[in-house]
Amino acid sequence: SRDIDLPTAVQHTVVDGLCVLTSGELPSNPAEMLASPEFERLLRQAGNEYDLVLVDTPPLLAVSDPCIVAQRTHGLVLVLRMLKNKRTSAVRATELIETNHIKVVGVVANGTNIQTDEYSYRESYGENVESDPEQKPIAQPTETPQPV
């Protein structure tokens, strides 16, 4: 909204150096607001005032908001819940990312079913991943991600 400036709107947290800007009331047209010059100015101002700006959006396949926001940022961190998301969803997400020319800066794979008392790279890497030699990767890496 244009009613309040960024320094006044951010909320300081109990974590030293961590501030949060909440969305406030849901607008009737969120996609239009996210595509607006005002939102782009807000992101630019936040980028100038803070070391790192993270924008939390709904899931990529749920609404258009993540694609709109990602095009105005340094990149997207894709979060996949491994036991919930199916391969078809990952393929569709990859298509959206490629179609919208979104840079992926990282992937978080959570919700796995690896249960072990201690971590051993050699013993647990790929242990619970079913492998099909005929299955091709969803997407080929294009470049090494740079720090955001």
Side-chain angles (χ1 to χ4, degrees), residues 49-135:
E49 294 188 24
Y50 296 94
D51 296 329
L52 182 64
V53 177
L54 299 174
V55 182
D56 186 23
T57 66
L60 186 61
L61 300 181
V63 291
S64 63
D65 300 6
C67 290
I68 295 169
V69 171
Q71 292 174 337
R72 287 159 178 72
T73 64
H74 291 104
L76 170 130
V77 176
L78 183 62
V79 178
L80 296 169
R81 190 172 311 156
M82 300 307 289
L83 297 178
K84 180 181 177 196
N85 298 118
K86 303 292 181 212
R87 182 175 176 80
T88 54
S89 297
V91 169
R92 179 67 185 124
T94 301
E95 291 168 353
L96 279 172
I97 288 166
E98 290 173 352
T99 300
N100 289 284
H101 308 288
I102 297 168
K103 181 179 178 183
V104 176
V105 296
V107 176
V108 174
N110 65 17
T112 63
N113 197 18
I114 296 175
Q115 296 178 4
T116 181
D117 292 336
E118 56 185 69
Y119 177 77
S120 171
Y121 178 81
R122 207 176 287 247
E123 292 172 14
S124 65
Y125 180 75
E127 193 170 274
N128 291 329
V129 177
E130 292 182 26
S131 179
D132 178 357
E134 300 298 318
Q135 194 171 36

